[in-house]
């Protein structure tokens, strides 16, 4: 069965600083990988996804993520954080062979200091 | 285009009461699922359905029932609410191949 870990429960960065959120997954085959963002009181919005091909994927709002099979990781990055990026970020893994179930990590809460 | 609609948005129940959380989608997606979100736990899969008439259990199914009589609707039933079911519930649909999940706005449930 697939699983996801996000080692950082909470991260605080200054506005304009770079950001990296970590995600590690466990799955026996090539996974489908996702990053979602949740603003307070809102539903989840897809930032980006990886299925195959280029291991560096670009998403919305200036985010990117890199799939590293050898490290079972899919870390999310942004070169310059904006105050509006403060939110909860979830990494998720899907597996087509498991009836398309998508399993989420516990989330990382991001705070941005002006 | 409404996408995924959940009702109600807020609900308070007494222990032992039953209720149904509604989820409707107009995206013609075969796959639908229910998650609960608790602090520090992320989203945990309760039940899912790969099409009308087909449902299966996720990570935390106990205390919840589902059915899928149509492609559009996927209600979640709490037969006898418990305080441990206090949570925010999200319904999601996914197109075939799990290329993206679309979420409703959530239902905040409190069981007292």
């Amino acid at each position: 069965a697939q699983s996801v870990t996000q080692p950082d429960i909470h991260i605080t960065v200054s506005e304009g600083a770079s950001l990296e959120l970590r995600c590690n997954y466990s799955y026996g085959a090539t996974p489908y990988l996702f990053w979602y963002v949740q603003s307070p009181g809102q539903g989840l919005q897809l930032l980006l996804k990886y299925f195959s091909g280029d291991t560096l994927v670009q998403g919305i709002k200036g985010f990117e993520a890199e799939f590293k099979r050898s490290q079972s990781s899919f870390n999310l990055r942004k070169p310059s954080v904006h105050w509006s990026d403060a939110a909860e970020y979830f990494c998720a893994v899907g597996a087509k062979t498991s009836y398309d179930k998508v399993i989420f990590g516990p989330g990382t809460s991001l705070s941005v200091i002006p | 285009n409404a996408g995924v609609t959940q009702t109600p948005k807020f609900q308070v129940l007494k222990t032992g009461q039953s209720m149904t959380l509604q989820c409707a989608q107009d995206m013609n997606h075969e796959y639908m699922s229910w998650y609960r979100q608790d602090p520090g736990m992320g989203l945990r899969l309760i039940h899912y359905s790969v099409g009308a008439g087909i449902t299966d259990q996720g990570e935390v199914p106990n205390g919840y029932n589902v059915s899928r009589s149509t492609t559009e609707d996927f209600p979640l039933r709490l037969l006898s609410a418990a305080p441990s079911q206090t949570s925010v519930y999200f319904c999601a649909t996914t197109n075939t191949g799990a290329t993206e999940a679309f979420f409703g706005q959530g239902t905040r449930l409190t069981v007292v």
Side-chain angles (χ1 to χ4, degrees), chain B residues 10-21 34-39 44 46-47 60-66 76-90 107-112:
Chain B
F10 301 94
Q11 182 72 50
V12 178
L13 288 178
K14 294 182 178 179
T15 297
Q17 285 185 315
S18 63
M19 80 159 294
T20 300
L21 279 63
W34 276 102
Y35 294 87
R36 59 176 290 173
Q37 184 179 24
D38 303 291
R44 291 181 291 171
I46 303 172
H47 285 285
V60 288
N62 292 341
Y64 307 94
N65 278 358
V66 293
L76 178 72
R77 282 183 289 275
L78 285 71
L79 300 179
S80 179
S84 60
Q85 294 178 304
T86 294
S87 187
V88 180
Y89 292 85
F90 286 98
T107 295
R108 185 173 294 275
L109 175 68
T110 302
V111 183
V112 298

Side-chain angles (χ1 to χ4, degrees), chain B residues 24-40:
Chain B
Q25 56 112 347
D26 61 2
M27 309 176 81
N28 201 32
H29 288 167
E30 290 297 320
Y31 181 79
M32 297 186 73
S33 52
W34 276 102
Y35 294 87
R36 59 176 290 173
Q37 184 179 24
D38 303 291

Side-chain angles (χ1 to χ4, degrees), chain A residues 88-106:
Chain A
E88 190 90 15
Y89 291 81
F90 294 95
C91 182
V93 60
K96 193 173 188 303
T97 55
S98 299
Y99 295 102
D100 298 338
K101 284 192 294 185
V102 178
I103 301 298
F104 286 79

